[in-house]
């Protein structure tokens, strides 16, 4: 078993419950970690024996374009999309909204979902 980890994906999105977030948007930082059986990949050196991280990135990027009120909803949508990969054994996603609209100073607010 092995892991593929995409760290600190930086994307922009219009997620949130506050009306201004729908129009203004915000910056997000996403970490994605998946577990895959690498036993064939490290023997035959073929991309088809693993999960292509380019495809993983494109799924995250496309789902970030679809507005959600909650980051929890967004996280679940992304993990659900990842289930197209038969080799996927486990997925963990962390989505952080940078500079959330709170009455205070906070760098980010994050949600984590594991399946």
């Amino acid at each position: 078993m092995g892991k593929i980890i995409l760290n600190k994906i930086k994307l922009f999105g219009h997620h949130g419950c506050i009306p201004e977030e729908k129009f203004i948007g915000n910056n997000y930082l996403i970490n994605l970690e998946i577990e895959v059986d690498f036993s064939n990949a490290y023997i035959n050196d073929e991309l088809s024996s693993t999960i292509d991280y380019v495809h993983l990135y494109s799924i995250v990027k496309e789902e970030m374009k679809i507005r959600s009120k909650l980051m929890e909803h967004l996280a679940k949508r992304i993990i659900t999309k990842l289930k197209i990969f038969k080799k996927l054994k486990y997925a963990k996603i962390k989505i952080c909204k940078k500079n959330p609209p709170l009455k205070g100073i906070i760098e980010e607010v994050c949600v984590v979902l594991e399946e």
Side-chain angles (χ1 to χ4, degrees):
M1 199 65 63
K3 292 184 180 184
I4 298 173
I5 301 170
L6 282 69
N7 274 331
K8 299 179 184 174
I9 301 169
K10 295 177 184 177
L11 294 170
F12 189 82
H14 295 271
H15 312 290
C17 294
I18 300 171
E20 291 79 14
E21 292 178 297
K22 180 178 180 180
F23 300 106
I24 298 168
N26 209 330
N27 291 305
Y28 291 81
L29 198 59
I30 301 115
N31 293 331
L32 178 65
E33 177 180 314
I34 65 166
E35 282 187 9
V36 183
D37 182 356
F38 285 164
S39 59
N40 287 329
Y42 53 64
I43 292 169
N44 67 19
D45 196 26
E46 294 294 332
L47 185 57
S48 61
S49 296
T50 187
I51 297 176
D52 185 352
Y53 56 80
V54 173
H55 198 169
L56 294 171
Y57 174 80
S58 68
I59 288 172
V60 173
K61 185 177 176 184
E62 288 306 308
E63 288 301 314
M64 282 296 294
K65 291 178 183 177
I66 303 167
R67 187 181 185 303
S68 286
K69 289 184 263 180
L70 302 176
M71 290 189 299
E72 295 88 339
H73 182 259
L74 175 60
K76 179 62 175 175
R77 279 199 345 254
I78 292 170
I79 285 189
T80 299
K81 281 281 178 132
L82 296 177
K83 292 179 181 177
I84 64 168
F85 300 110
K86 304 251 186 286
K87 294 175 176 67
L88 181 75
K89 304 294 183 200
Y90 163 85
K92 177 180 178 182
I93 189 162
K94 178 179 178 184
I95 302 174
C96 299
K97 182 185 290 189
K98 306 303 281 180
N99 303 309
L102 300 173
K103 293 182 179 174
I105 299 170
I106 183 169
E107 186 177 318
E108 62 188 14
V109 64
C110 305
V111 298
V112 176
L113 179 61
E114 299 180 59
E115 284 191 15

